[in-house]
Amino acid sequence: MPRVVQPSDDMIAEASRRLRAGEVVALPTETVYGLGADTLSEAAIECVYQLKGRPFNNPLIAHVLDWNQAQSILDFGFWNLDSPTPVQPIIQNVRSKIQQLTHAFWPGPLTLVLPKSDRVPPRATAGLSTIALRAPSHPVARRLLQAFGGPISAPSANRSGHVSPTTAQHVRDDFSSEADLLILDGGPCALGIESTVLDLTSFPPRVLRPGSVTVEQLRGIIPDVEAPPIATQAASPGTTALHYAPRTPAELIASSQLHERLQHSTGPMAVLALDVTGIAPPHRAIVMPRSPAEYAQSLYRALREADSLNCVRILIEQPPAHDELWRAIHDRLRRATAV
Ligand code: TXA
Ligand code: MG
């Protein structure tokens, strides 16, 4: 079994020592837990892919302490900013826009895709000339970044394709056979769904993955940010439709059809329901919050719990879609239920 430890100063030092030795360490962030490795070590990055079973064409997010540290792995030469005829279309005043974005949303759940420096090994970005990076706000992640003193690449700490982890125990469950894995326990993640990914190297800039930082907030700084509608949204590089998925088949269902489905079911169903009245044995109800922030926070825990109940199917009562956080939640639900 992996070792789950409280983030004492000694343990942060131990985790940092392991990162320096090219090992992988699981760390909490405010969104989900990550499986961290030294961004600048090709071998360490390789370990992360192997441990996760992640396809090599799916690039990683590098975590940094702040914009200063971010700059150490970026190279704006890609944009040829001083040339009167830029190599490719680019938003006006891109430097100042990035500064405004990081000022407003870092540390926090906003990942920016930017041109990478040659210091970053190709494996860390799946061969792309760009790198996704964010500064997490979780105090334990920040203490580790500080102690390590460099960028830490970390995908969500789940086996590839499985539901993302929002507690140390979830990470332990996914990697139960990895006796050497150290997991820093930072408690349950406050936000519960992965960061918003904004690609600033496409023109106009495009949201590749919706999250807690909303398109509306981003448009307050860059008015022409594009956000394709969820159903048609091109996945980020390397991601497939079926993602964030429990092992039991899962299905989204309208509230009005829920009870009929349960009546005609041939086996027990696990239901993530906003309203649990009338859901009786053999079916199992997991009550979901009605506020989008609380729903996001408990979604992955609920999916993992539903998965453990030995039901024939997971039914997810369709939540509202009227605001942007609900939109991000629907994106995850769509992937969890894709066939
Ligand atoms: O909240 C989060 O972002 C969490 C925590 C641990 O920080 N991390 C996370 O990592 O969700 P992961 O690997 O599960 O998702 C990374 C996403 C993928 O959708 C990937 O395609 C996209 O970021 N991505 C990474 N590098 C990219 C790049 N250079 N260009 C475009 N998309 C990129
Ligand atoms: Mg992931």
Side-chain angles (χ1 to χ4, degrees), residues 270-290:
V271 192
L272 270 57
L274 296 160
D275 179 0
V276 298
T277 46
I279 304 175
H283 307 303
R284 306 285 298 269
I286 295 174
V287 57
M288 296 302 290
R290 286 173 179 272

PDB file of all heavy atoms in Angstrom, residues 270-290:
ATOM      1  N   ALA A 270     -27.425   2.615  -8.526  1.00  0.00           N
ATOM      2  CA  ALA A 270     -26.928   3.659  -7.624  1.00  0.00           C
ATOM      3  C   ALA A 270     -27.315   4.992  -8.259  1.00  0.00           C
ATOM      4  O   ALA A 270     -27.062   5.203  -9.441  1.00  0.00           O
ATOM      5  CB  ALA A 270     -25.415   3.557  -7.493  1.00  0.00           C
ATOM      6  N   VAL A 271     -27.950   5.846  -7.489  1.00  0.00           N
ATOM      7  CA  VAL A 271     -28.447   7.092  -8.070  1.00  0.00           C
ATOM      8  C   VAL A 271     -27.814   8.304  -7.393  1.00  0.00           C
ATOM      9  O   VAL A 271     -27.898   8.465  -6.174  1.00  0.00           O
ATOM     10  CB  VAL A 271     -29.995   7.203  -7.920  1.00  0.00           C
ATOM     11  CG1 VAL A 271     -30.526   8.354  -8.778  1.00  0.00           C
ATOM     12  CG2 VAL A 271     -30.681   5.908  -8.290  1.00  0.00           C
ATOM     13  N   LEU A 272     -27.168   9.148  -8.203  1.00  0.00           N
ATOM     14  CA  LEU A 272     -26.720  10.454  -7.705  1.00  0.00           C
ATOM     15  C   LEU A 272     -27.893  11.401  -7.925  1.00  0.00           C
ATOM     16  O   LEU A 272     -28.155  11.814  -9.055  1.00  0.00           O
ATOM     17  CB  LEU A 272     -25.500  10.956  -8.491  1.00  0.00           C
ATOM     18  CG  LEU A 272     -24.111  10.571  -7.972  1.00  0.00           C
ATOM     19  CD1 LEU A 272     -23.971   9.058  -7.878  1.00  0.00           C
ATOM     20  CD2 LEU A 272     -23.023  11.138  -8.868  1.00  0.00           C
ATOM     21  N   ALA A 273     -28.626  11.705  -6.837  1.00  0.00           N
ATOM     22  CA  ALA A 273     -29.891  12.413  -7.008  1.00  0.00           C
ATOM     23  C   ALA A 273     -29.907  13.742  -6.272  1.00  0.00           C
ATOM     24  O   ALA A 273     -29.344  13.879  -5.184  1.00  0.00           O
ATOM     25  CB  ALA A 273     -31.032  11.529  -6.506  1.00  0.00           C
ATOM     26  N   LEU A 274     -30.566  14.707  -6.889  1.00  0.00           N
ATOM     27  CA  LEU A 274     -30.763  16.001  -6.229  1.00  0.00           C
ATOM     28  C   LEU A 274     -31.920  15.867  -5.242  1.00  0.00           C
ATOM     29  O   LEU A 274     -31.965  16.515  -4.213  1.00  0.00           O
ATOM     30  CB  LEU A 274     -31.084  17.078  -7.266  1.00  0.00           C
ATOM     31  CG  LEU A 274     -29.939  17.341  -8.263  1.00  0.00           C
ATOM     32  CD1 LEU A 274     -30.455  18.014  -9.519  1.00  0.00           C
ATOM     33  CD2 LEU A 274     -28.837  18.170  -7.606  1.00  0.00           C
ATOM     34  N   ASP A 275     -32.875  14.981  -5.620  1.00  0.00           N
ATOM     35  CA  ASP A 275     -34.019  14.719  -4.747  1.00  0.00           C
ATOM     36  C   ASP A 275     -34.124  13.203  -4.569  1.00  0.00           C
ATOM     37  O   ASP A 275     -34.376  12.481  -5.526  1.00  0.00           O
ATOM     38  CB  ASP A 275     -35.290  15.280  -5.406  1.00  0.00           C
ATOM     39  CG  ASP A 275     -36.524  15.018  -4.561  1.00  0.00           C
ATOM     40  OD1 ASP A 275     -36.397  14.409  -3.472  1.00  0.00           O
ATOM     41  OD2 ASP A 275     -37.621  15.420  -4.987  1.00  0.00           O
ATOM     42  N   VAL A 276     -33.873  12.740  -3.334  1.00  0.00           N
ATOM     43  CA  VAL A 276     -33.797  11.286  -3.125  1.00  0.00           C
ATOM     44  C   VAL A 276     -35.129  10.660  -2.719  1.00  0.00           C
ATOM     45  O   VAL A 276     -35.209   9.442  -2.517  1.00  0.00           O
ATOM     46  CB  VAL A 276     -32.719  10.916  -2.073  1.00  0.00           C
ATOM     47  CG1 VAL A 276     -31.345  11.340  -2.555  1.00  0.00           C
ATOM     48  CG2 VAL A 276     -33.026  11.516  -0.718  1.00  0.00           C
ATOM     49  N   THR A 277     -36.177  11.472  -2.644  1.00  0.00           N
ATOM     50  CA  THR A 277     -37.452  10.894  -2.205  1.00  0.00           C
ATOM     51  C   THR A 277     -37.918   9.839  -3.216  1.00  0.00           C
ATOM     52  O   THR A 277     -37.823  10.031  -4.422  1.00  0.00           O
ATOM     53  CB  THR A 277     -38.562  11.966  -2.051  1.00  0.00           C
ATOM     54  OG1 THR A 277     -38.533  12.808  -3.195  1.00  0.00           O
ATOM     55  CG2 THR A 277     -38.385  12.795  -0.791  1.00  0.00           C
ATOM     56  N   GLY A 278     -38.377   8.716  -2.658  1.00  0.00           N
ATOM     57  CA  GLY A 278     -38.922   7.652  -3.506  1.00  0.00           C
ATOM     58  C   GLY A 278     -37.859   6.712  -4.041  1.00  0.00           C
ATOM     59  O   GLY A 278     -38.169   5.764  -4.761  1.00  0.00           O
ATOM     60  N   ILE A 279     -36.605   6.921  -3.735  1.00  0.00           N
ATOM     61  CA  ILE A 279     -35.573   5.966  -4.169  1.00  0.00           C
ATOM     62  C   ILE A 279     -35.381   4.956  -3.031  1.00  0.00           C
ATOM     63  O   ILE A 279     -34.831   5.289  -1.985  1.00  0.00           O
ATOM     64  CB  ILE A 279     -34.238   6.660  -4.497  1.00  0.00           C
ATOM     65  CG1 ILE A 279     -34.469   7.745  -5.562  1.00  0.00           C
ATOM     66  CG2 ILE A 279     -33.198   5.642  -4.967  1.00  0.00           C
ATOM     67  CD1 ILE A 279     -33.244   8.580  -5.882  1.00  0.00           C
ATOM     68  N   ALA A 280     -35.914   3.750  -3.234  1.00  0.00           N
ATOM     69  CA  ALA A 280     -35.935   2.764  -2.146  1.00  0.00           C
ATOM     70  C   ALA A 280     -35.147   1.523  -2.540  1.00  0.00           C
ATOM     71  O   ALA A 280     -34.911   1.286  -3.726  1.00  0.00           O
ATOM     72  CB  ALA A 280     -37.383   2.396  -1.847  1.00  0.00           C
ATOM     73  N   PRO A 281     -34.739   0.687  -1.532  1.00  0.00           N
ATOM     74  CA  PRO A 281     -34.009  -0.538  -1.827  1.00  0.00           C
ATOM     75  C   PRO A 281     -34.769  -1.380  -2.859  1.00  0.00           C
ATOM     76  O   PRO A 281     -36.015  -1.360  -2.826  1.00  0.00           O
ATOM     77  CB  PRO A 281     -33.939  -1.268  -0.477  1.00  0.00           C
ATOM     78  CG  PRO A 281     -34.100  -0.175   0.536  1.00  0.00           C
ATOM     79  CD  PRO A 281     -34.930   0.893  -0.109  1.00  0.00           C
ATOM     80  N   PRO A 282     -34.094  -2.120  -3.725  1.00  0.00           N
ATOM     81  CA  PRO A 282     -32.646  -2.397  -3.714  1.00  0.00           C
ATOM     82  C   PRO A 282     -31.786  -1.250  -4.255  1.00  0.00           C
ATOM     83  O   PRO A 282     -30.573  -1.359  -4.272  1.00  0.00           O
ATOM     84  CB  PRO A 282     -32.520  -3.598  -4.660  1.00  0.00           C
ATOM     85  CG  PRO A 282     -33.587  -3.366  -5.683  1.00  0.00           C
ATOM     86  CD  PRO A 282     -34.746  -2.736  -4.912  1.00  0.00           C
ATOM     87  N   HIS A 283     -32.446  -0.178  -4.696  1.00  0.00           N
ATOM     88  CA  HIS A 283     -31.661   0.926  -5.255  1.00  0.00           C
ATOM     89  C   HIS A 283     -30.992   1.721  -4.143  1.00  0.00           C
ATOM     90  O   HIS A 283     -31.443   1.705  -2.999  1.00  0.00           O
ATOM     91  CB  HIS A 283     -32.558   1.826  -6.111  1.00  0.00           C
ATOM     92  CG  HIS A 283     -33.304   1.045  -7.152  1.00  0.00           C
ATOM     93  ND1 HIS A 283     -32.669   0.265  -8.074  1.00  0.00           N
ATOM     94  CD2 HIS A 283     -34.643   0.894  -7.370  1.00  0.00           C
ATOM     95  CE1 HIS A 283     -33.572  -0.334  -8.838  1.00  0.00           C
ATOM     96  NE2 HIS A 283     -34.775   0.031  -8.425  1.00  0.00           N
ATOM     97  N   ARG A 284     -29.905   2.405  -4.481  1.00  0.00           N
ATOM     98  CA  ARG A 284     -29.151   3.157  -3.487  1.00  0.00           C
ATOM     99  C   ARG A 284     -29.072   4.617  -3.908  1.00  0.00           C
ATOM    100  O   ARG A 284     -28.724   4.920  -5.045  1.00  0.00           O
ATOM    101  CB  ARG A 284     -27.721   2.601  -3.363  1.00  0.00           C
ATOM    102  CG  ARG A 284     -27.657   1.100  -3.081  1.00  0.00           C
ATOM    103  CD  ARG A 284     -28.004   0.761  -1.642  1.00  0.00           C
ATOM    104  NE  ARG A 284     -27.073   1.368  -0.710  1.00  0.00           N
ATOM    105  CZ  ARG A 284     -25.968   0.790  -0.270  1.00  0.00           C
ATOM    106  NH1 ARG A 284     -25.635  -0.426  -0.700  1.00  0.00           N
ATOM    107  NH2 ARG A 284     -25.169   1.406   0.583  1.00  0.00           N
ATOM    108  N   ALA A 285     -29.412   5.497  -2.981  1.00  0.00           N
ATOM    109  CA  ALA A 285     -29.392   6.928  -3.315  1.00  0.00           C
ATOM    110  C   ALA A 285     -28.179   7.606  -2.701  1.00  0.00           C
ATOM    111  O   ALA A 285     -27.814   7.339  -1.556  1.00  0.00           O
ATOM    112  CB  ALA A 285     -30.666   7.585  -2.802  1.00  0.00           C
ATOM    113  N   ILE A 286     -27.533   8.456  -3.479  1.00  0.00           N
ATOM    114  CA  ILE A 286     -26.473   9.316  -2.948  1.00  0.00           C
ATOM    115  C   ILE A 286     -26.967  10.737  -3.176  1.00  0.00           C
ATOM    116  O   ILE A 286     -27.217  11.141  -4.319  1.00  0.00           O
ATOM    117  CB  ILE A 286     -25.136   9.077  -3.681  1.00  0.00           C
ATOM    118  CG1 ILE A 286     -24.647   7.656  -3.403  1.00  0.00           C
ATOM    119  CG2 ILE A 286     -24.096  10.116  -3.271  1.00  0.00           C
ATOM    120  CD1 ILE A 286     -23.413   7.245  -4.185  1.00  0.00           C
ATOM    121  N   VAL A 287     -27.128  11.464  -2.071  1.00  0.00           N
ATOM    122  CA  VAL A 287     -27.742  12.791  -2.220  1.00  0.00           C
ATOM    123  C   VAL A 287     -26.690  13.803  -2.689  1.00  0.00           C
ATOM    124  O   VAL A 287     -25.578  13.874  -2.155  1.00  0.00           O
ATOM    125  CB  VAL A 287     -28.462  13.215  -0.917  1.00  0.00           C
ATOM    126  CG1 VAL A 287     -27.527  13.223   0.262  1.00  0.00           C
ATOM    127  CG2 VAL A 287     -29.132  14.582  -1.077  1.00  0.00           C
ATOM    128  N   MET A 288     -27.058  14.554  -3.741  1.00  0.00           N
ATOM    129  CA  MET A 288     -26.147  15.554  -4.302  1.00  0.00           C
ATOM    130  C   MET A 288     -26.620  16.959  -3.936  1.00  0.00           C
ATOM    131  O   MET A 288     -27.814  17.240  -3.920  1.00  0.00           O
ATOM    132  CB  MET A 288     -26.096  15.412  -5.829  1.00  0.00           C
ATOM    133  CG  MET A 288     -25.527  14.087  -6.311  1.00  0.00           C
ATOM    134  SD  MET A 288     -23.855  13.755  -5.705  1.00  0.00           S
ATOM    135  CE  MET A 288     -22.900  14.972  -6.619  1.00  0.00           C
ATOM    136  N   PRO A 289     -25.665  17.864  -3.642  1.00  0.00           N
ATOM    137  CA  PRO A 289     -26.029  19.228  -3.275  1.00  0.00           C
ATOM    138  C   PRO A 289     -26.646  19.989  -4.459  1.00  0.00           C
ATOM    139  O   PRO A 289     -26.405  19.639  -5.614  1.00  0.00           O
ATOM    140  CB  PRO A 289     -24.690  19.866  -2.898  1.00  0.00           C
ATOM    141  CG  PRO A 289     -23.699  18.760  -2.808  1.00  0.00           C
ATOM    142  CD  PRO A 289     -24.210  17.641  -3.621  1.00  0.00           C
ATOM    143  N   ARG A 290     -27.404  21.033  -4.129  1.00  0.00           N
ATOM    144  CA  ARG A 290     -28.053  21.805  -5.188  1.00  0.00           C
ATOM    145  C   ARG A 290     -27.258  23.024  -5.619  1.00  0.00           C
ATOM    146  O   ARG A 290     -27.587  23.666  -6.612  1.00  0.00           O
ATOM    147  CB  ARG A 290     -29.453  22.242  -4.730  1.00  0.00           C
ATOM    148  CG  ARG A 290     -30.402  21.086  -4.748  1.00  0.00           C
ATOM    149  CD  ARG A 290     -31.746  21.435  -4.151  1.00  0.00           C
ATOM    150  NE  ARG A 290     -32.620  20.264  -4.221  1.00  0.00           N
ATOM    151  CZ  ARG A 290     -33.380  19.974  -5.257  1.00  0.00           C
ATOM    152  NH1 ARG A 290     -33.404  20.756  -6.312  1.00  0.00           N
ATOM    153  NH2 ARG A 290     -34.134  18.888  -5.235  1.00  0.00           N
TER     154      ARG A 290
END
